[in-house]
Amino acid sequence: MKRDLADFWNLLWEAALGLAAAFMLANAFAPPQDLPWKPLDLSRPIGAATSAQVADYEIRRMAAPEEAKAVTDACIQLLREAGVEVERAEDRDDGGFCVVRGAVRLTGGSITPLAPGGLVMQCPMAVRYVIWDRQVLQPAARESFGQSVARVDNMGTYACRRIYGQEDVNARPSEHARANALDVAGVTLQDGRRVSVLADWNGDGPAGVQGGTFLRRIREGACRVFATVLSPEYNAAHRDHLHLDGAERGLCS
């Protein structure tokens, strides 16, 4: 019995040493974007842990108010260090249904402009947009069209409404009610051409097959950054835009 117990503890000790060695090797040699305990860096490619690293800002902001402010400040600093011009937006609270705290506005810098601009969005949502812009949108545009995107045409971020705009009082709030979603209608390229979700998703619009391929590529890339990504393939309500949000649930369609 004593021998069996000793063997058991030896096995546990060896397993612990093995885990420690594996952690040290991963920490030293694995790409930082693949390790959830590493700090987020917006200059790195999207990795296995990127979405979790962004989500960490969202989770920590749900803590006590004083910590939530500190986390939002850290999020804003992260954007500024990445060359993004950002300002804090005013808080909103209509009594509990539509509550927006710790949101920001992206005002310029090293980022593709949103049109219309001046949008209010949760800071982690803004971080997701920057990553998607740099690591997905612009590379896809250069590969598909040989040029960059000049602006992202959108349908907004904040809207105090229930999901799908339902009137049912039991329907849950949309992520737009928290400024935690962005609806992308299309993009305008540097030469003025427009690629529209409504017209070009199926590849038979003005942008041709290239347009449809491009839109699907930026949708798939968005699924690696945002929590929920909905496209025309999800339902008719999204026939004219890509819905991108930072909700707790995850869905890519």
Side-chain angles (χ1 to χ4, degrees), residues 45-47 50-52 54-55 58 124-133 135-136 218-229 244-246:
I46 299 170
T50 299
S51 186
V54 179
E58 296 168 329
M125 183 68 188
V127 169
R128 292 181 193 273
Y129 174 74
V130 172
I131 295 171
W132 178 69
D133 174 36
Q135 306 298 336
V136 177
I218 65 173
R219 187 271 307 270
E220 293 304 314
C223 291
R224 301 183 63 201
V225 183
F226 296 93
T228 301
V229 178
L244 316 175
D245 76 36

Side-chain angles (χ1 to χ4, degrees), residues 129-213:
Y129 174 74
V130 172
I131 295 171
W132 178 69
D133 174 36
R134 294 180 176 182
Q135 306 298 336
V136 177
L137 180 66
Q138 292 293 2
R142 288 190 289 269
E143 183 172 320
S144 296
F145 304 106
Q147 60 184 297
S148 299
V149 171
R151 69 171 185 264
V152 173
D153 305 309
N154 71 88
M155 297 177 175
T157 52
Y158 174 77
C160 187
R161 61 174 175 81
R162 293 176 173 81
I163 187 170
Y164 298 133
Q166 296 180 61
E167 298 296 330
D168 183 356
V169 295
N170 295 314
R172 61 182 171 83
S174 165
E175 287 300 312
H176 287 283
R178 298 178 50 235
N180 196 36
L182 170 67
D183 288 342
V184 174
V187 304
T188 299
L189 302 172
Q190 289 289 347
D191 66 2
R193 281 185 292 166
R194 188 165 186 268
V195 185
S196 160
V197 175
L198 180 62
D200 297 306
W201 182 260
N202 292 321
D204 52 7
V209 175
Q210 276 184 317
T213 301

Side-chain angles (χ1 to χ4, degrees), residues 76 79-80 82-87 105-111 134:
I76 291 173
L79 289 166
R80 288 174 175 162
V84 179
E85 295 174 8
V86 58
E87 64 183 24
R105 287 187 181 88
L106 301 177
T107 58
S110 302
I111 187 173
R134 294 180 176 182

Side-chain angles (χ1 to χ4, degrees), residues 30-31 33 40 67-68 72 91 119-120 169 173 179 192:
Q33 61 268 25
L40 182 63
E67 183 176 349
T72 298
D91 291 342
L119 302 178
V120 172
V169 295

